[in-house]
Amino acid sequence: MRRTSRAAVPAGALALTLALTGCSGGPPDQDAGQARTFPSGTTMHAIQQRGEVVVGVKYDQPSFGLLNPLTGKPEGFDIEIARLVAEDLTGSPRNVRYVETVTSNREAFIEQGKVDLVIASYVVNEKRKKKVSFAGPYYDTGIAVLARRDDRSIRDAHDLDGRPVCVAQGSHSAEVLPKMVPGVRLVEFSSYSYCAQALKDRRVDATVTSESILIGLEQQNPEQLRVVPGYLEAEQTAIGFAKGDRELHAYLSGLLKEAVRDGRWGAAYRATVGKVTKQDPEPPEITL
């Protein structure tokens, strides 16, 4: 099964309320180094004036965005990318305020100005592009199937016909799967950690979403769960931000390309996802 991965880079926007439920990187780093400068009126300048970038991330996705119960801080590939952006914009990777987002509220958090960026396994599709803008991709993936390790009857998506399958509310998978397998019985939860538990409890027979998410769930449950080889559909994961912010788009695209060229992307991948996939990193082409 192909398991390549890619990473992200972000930067922020909008004056926003900071009384949010989320995990903060603490007060802005007063010992920050020299950051590049941006014109007044741009999102990048607003972030610099504030002293931190506010990023929507996931807290339940191993290897990408997972809240460490011991440290109380998020960690993973997406988190490393957020830190990379913070360092570029503010001079320190510690100047990030993390806000937990789930699949169903990512567009709303961007539109409401609760976050500058969303770096949370955010798959690009036409429906989402009507509400927000994207830069990237920073990770190439695809829709895949997670099944129980002791259930060998599921070899591909067509074996899900007539079976209960868990998806996240508002996910692209919830739209794609019924079109490919009309007889599937969808069970929706707010996050994939609930889906994984339902799968282990035998309340559902599979979970379908981006392989990047499923890799982490298999990592947490190696004796019980397995990713089924193959993709239902190829996907691109990118950084989400306020629709129409051209200056921010140009900045993020440029930063991602720099990170790929100078090795920062590869370092972030090897320190997180690469420890699970055991593969050499293969950066995506920044085309969005």
Side-chain angles (χ1 to χ4, degrees), residues 157-177:
H158 297 291
D159 293 323
L160 302 178
D161 188 44
R163 299 193 184 204
V165 177
C166 190
V167 295
Q169 295 168 349
S171 68
H172 182 53
S173 304
E175 299 178 5
V176 172
L177 185 57

Side-chain angles (χ1 to χ4, degrees), residues 16-69:
L16 77 180
T17 58
L18 296 181
L20 299 173
T21 302
C23 178
S24 171
D29 187 352
Q30 301 303 318
D31 298 322
Q34 184 66 39
R36 67 176 83 182
T37 59
F38 296 91
S40 176
T42 63
T43 295
M44 295 78 74
H45 182 264
I47 290 172
Q48 289 183 330
Q49 292 297 105
R50 187 196 308 140
E52 63 182 1
V53 56
V54 184
V55 184
V57 299
K58 289 193 174 182
Y59 281 176
D60 66 346
Q61 188 177 341
S63 297
F64 288 85
L66 181 69
L67 191 65
N68 187 314

Side-chain angles (χ1 to χ4, degrees), residues 22-271:
C23 178
S24 171
D29 187 352
Q30 301 303 318
D31 298 322
Q34 184 66 39
R36 67 176 83 182
T37 59
F38 296 91
S40 176
T42 63
T43 295
M44 295 78 74
H45 182 264
I47 290 172
Q48 289 183 330
Q49 292 297 105
R50 187 196 308 140
E52 63 182 1
V53 56
V54 184
V55 184
V57 299
K58 289 193 174 182
Y59 281 176
D60 66 346
Q61 188 177 341
S63 297
F64 288 85
L66 181 69
L67 191 65
N68 187 314
L70 299 179
T71 65
K73 297 180 180 180
E75 56 189 29
F77 185 46
D78 292 347
I79 306 307
E80 290 304 310
I81 296 306
R83 288 166 54 82
L84 187 153
V85 175
E87 183 171 21
D88 193 70
L89 282 174
T90 72
S92 172
R94 291 183 289 179
N95 291 338
V96 184
R97 181 180 294 273
Y98 300 105
V99 177
E100 182 181 12
T101 61
V102 296
T103 300
S104 60
N105 66 19
R106 289 176 294 195
E107 288 95 73
F109 274 27
I110 292 173
E111 292 177 315
Q112 295 166 9
K114 291 183 177 180
V115 297
D116 298 319
L117 309 170
V118 167
I119 309 174
S121 306
Y122 208 179
V123 171
V124 180
N125 62 44
E126 293 304 315
K127 182 178 179 180
R128 291 170 180 166
K129 285 166 67 176
K130 293 178 180 178
K131 296 183 177 182
V132 302
S133 290
F134 290 97
Y138 66 85
Y139 184 83
D140 287 338
T141 183
I143 298 177
V145 178
L146 185 72
R148 287 185 293 275
R149 192 163 292 279
D150 62 2
D151 183 357
R152 291 294 167 175
S153 66
I154 299 177
R155 299 174 300 277
D156 58 38
H158 297 291
D159 293 323
L160 302 178
D161 188 44
R163 299 193 184 204
V165 177
C166 190
V167 295
Q169 295 168 349
S171 68
H172 182 53
S173 304
E175 299 178 5
V176 172
L177 185 57
K179 296 177 182 178
M180 297 189 65
V181 188
V184 71
R185 293 156 49 199
L186 292 186
V187 177
E188 299 190 47
F189 286 111
S190 61
S191 73
Y192 284 105
S193 57
Y194 292 123
C195 283
Q197 190 60 52
L199 182 55
K200 291 187 291 182
D201 293 343
R202 299 182 181 272
R203 287 177 284 152
V204 297
D205 289 339
T207 296
V208 174
T209 188
S210 298
E211 185 195 36
S212 57
I213 296 175
L214 302 183
I215 287 173
L217 296 177
E218 180 183 16
Q219 176 193 359
Q220 285 188 317
N221 306 276
E223 303 300 320
Q224 297 170 286
L225 305 179
R226 66 182 177 92
V227 178
V228 177
Y231 288 158
L232 283 71
E233 178 180 286
E235 293 183 321
Q236 292 180 317
T237 301
I239 303 167
F241 55 94
K243 187 169 179 61
D245 192 333
R246 295 183 180 180
E247 293 86 357
L248 181 56
H249 178 269
Y251 165 71
L252 292 173
S253 295
L255 183 55
L256 281 171
K257 291 176 182 178
E258 286 180 15
V260 168
R261 284 196 301 266
D262 64 24
R264 286 177 291 170
W265 184 94
Y269 178 90
R270 285 188 292 270

